[in-house]
Amino acid sequence: MKSNDKIYVAGHRGLVGAAICRRLEQDGYTNILTSTHAELDLCSQAEVQAFFQKSRPDYVFLAAARVGGIHANNTFPADFIRDNLLIQTNIIDAAYQEGVQKLLFLGSSCIYPKLCPQPMKEEYLLTGPLETTNEWYAIAKIAGIKMCQAYHRQYGFSAISLMPTNLYGPGDNFDLKKSHVLPALIRKFHEAKESGQVEVEVWGTGSPQREFLHVDDLAAASLFLMETYSEPEIVNVGSGQEVTIGELAKLAAEVVGFQGTVRFNPEMPDGTPRKLLDVSFLTRLGWQAEIPLKEGMESTYRWFIDNITDIRQ
Ligand code: GDP
């Protein structure tokens, strides 16, 4: 990518898209194209086609998606499968039609089977049944991967796919009904500390294991792969380190300064027991995560404090 190439970041207001924009600016890219939801409905094929015909970007980061935690995925399966299929199909096809040089598609680690051997290698895709709480989202993401691979094979379109692990960072969703576990715990502990509450509820048994990656690390990996990688095979992007939800709760309480106790609620779903990506392919390609979990959680907590008024509205 040259510094004045036109680079479209779809989903620039989301956790991932915003981090990619920050990184592009930091690295001196000057021609970054974005569109708000009011300007462009990514679920509308006609609007997306018209947008690409008019703006003709050179590169596309496809970071737009309907995302959410275990509860949101479980409650709104139709919204998750429909919106993700529409957004990615519209953008990938329009990018190919309008001569985009390369597109980067962001999948998710939930594309792998529920009881996948750990750590999960790229080749385990489609080797077993999916976790049921988020299979709608996962099926859409798998369709996106296959679409990139099919366009690669049939049209020679350079579309690459990254599979990030659980992400967190500034700009995360702190709405307790929709968020992922890490921002949810930061908020719950913060509010308990503020109100003098002595006990906080954490969903599930606390035993599931999850890997977390700071979104600034994902943005760095995305730019690295956009520059250096052009193959249809998917690439896992993770930190390679996992913690139990119980350990994460302990760390979150420490970061926030909450001194009360945690009560696990096994009535709420645990989801998949373990979700650790094998990142040896990415390591061989020459990239590794840099931001340690505690440090990343501290800066995320600072961002939460700075934006708490907006978050509560
Ligand atoms: P997942 O990785 O797709 O399962 O999504 P989440 O990040 O939403 O959940 C990860 C794990 O954290 C699950 O076992 C949840 O039950 C557990 N968890 C514990 N407390 C919470 C909470 O307050 N919110 C969310 N979203 N998950 C929680």
Side-chain angles (χ1 to χ4, degrees):
M1 282 188 302
K2 296 191 293 301
S3 61
N4 61 348
D5 278 337
K6 196 184 263 190
I7 303 168
Y8 174 45
V9 180
H12 72 289
R13 286 194 168 157
L15 174 67
V16 173
I20 290 175
C21 286
R22 286 197 297 274
R23 182 70 194 213
L24 284 167
E25 278 163 19
Q26 207 179 310
D27 287 3
Y29 293 97
T30 53
N31 200 357
I32 304 167
L33 178 67
T34 57
S35 62
T36 62
H37 189 75
E39 290 157 359
L40 171 63
D41 176 5
L42 295 173
C43 291
S44 158
Q45 185 183 25
E47 286 188 32
V48 172
Q49 277 175 347
F51 174 81
F52 272 81
Q53 276 161 10
K54 192 165 147 246
S55 57
R56 301 194 55 97
D58 299 301
Y59 292 88
V60 173
F61 288 89
L62 205 181
R66 178 180 284 275
V67 295
I70 195 162
H71 180 70
N73 268 276
N74 221 1
T75 318
F76 307 109
D79 297 353
F80 276 85
I81 194 162
R82 180 197 57 232
D83 290 355
N84 286 305
L85 284 172
L86 285 172
I87 292 168
Q88 69 204 29
T89 303
N90 291 341
I91 294 180
I92 295 167
D93 188 60
Y96 160 65
Q97 299 288 350
E98 296 309 319
V100 164
Q101 289 183 41
K102 200 193 250 186
L103 174 143
L104 183 150
F105 173 67
L106 286 152
S108 158
S109 59
C110 68
I111 57 151
Y112 292 113
K114 176 180 171 108
L115 299 176
C116 197
Q118 304 285 324
M120 303 185 287
K121 293 181 193 296
E122 286 87 352
E123 69 213 49
Y124 298 159
L125 175 63
L126 291 174
T127 54
L130 298 164
E131 155 61 30
T132 51
T133 50
N134 58 15
E135 65 177 330
W136 323 94
Y137 176 78
I139 290 278
K141 288 292 182 187
I142 293 170
I145 295 168
K146 290 293 165 191
M147 190 156 164
C148 288
Q149 292 176 339
Y151 275 54
H152 211 283
R153 184 193 284 202
Q154 187 177 339
Y155 305 130
F157 179 45
S158 187
I160 62 171
S161 300
L162 275 55
M163 297 310 118
T165 191
N166 291 27
L167 300 168
Y168 71 97
D172 214 334
N173 183 347
F174 286 86
D175 175 342
L176 293 180
K177 288 209 185 75
K178 297 184 193 152
S179 67
H180 284 101
V181 60
L182 192 151
L185 295 184
I186 288 182
R187 181 172 186 164
K188 285 181 179 177
F189 288 131
H190 174 79
E191 290 181 347
K193 184 180 80 170
E194 267 196 330
S195 65
Q197 198 183 312
V198 292
E199 191 183 76
V200 163
E201 180 190 283
V202 175
W203 298 348
T205 59
S207 62
Q209 289 173 286
R210 293 289 184 275
E211 175 190 19
F212 295 93
L213 181 74
H214 194 283
V215 73
D216 288 347
D217 267 337
L218 175 70
S222 300
L223 265 71
F224 171 78
L225 290 169
M226 191 63 127
E227 295 279 10
T228 58
Y229 184 76
S230 299
E231 303 306 316
E233 286 77 31
I234 62 176
V235 185
N236 287 341
V237 185
S239 59
Q241 282 166 13
E242 63 187 338
V243 290
T244 65
I245 298 302
E247 286 162 349
L248 183 76
K250 232 188 212 161
L251 197 58
E254 198 184 314
V255 165
V256 171
F258 168 73
Q259 291 176 340
T261 54
V262 162
R263 182 173 48 82
F264 292 102
N265 177 1
E267 303 283 296
M268 292 299 279
D270 265 343
T272 196
R274 226 183 137 191
K275 215 178 357 172
L276 176 67
L277 291 178
D278 183 319
V279 288
S280 52
F281 182 35
L282 181 59
T283 310
R284 281 200 304 280
L285 291 172
W287 189 89
Q288 260 180 310
E290 283 179 356
I291 305 173
L293 182 58
K294 184 154 183 235
E295 196 180 292
M297 282 174 81
E298 283 163 351
S299 59
T300 305
Y301 182 47
R302 280 198 296 277
W303 185 91
F304 172 76
I305 298 284
D306 291 344
N307 292 276
I308 198 162
T309 325
D310 296 340
I311 290 166
R312 279 186 177 151
Q313 272 164 8

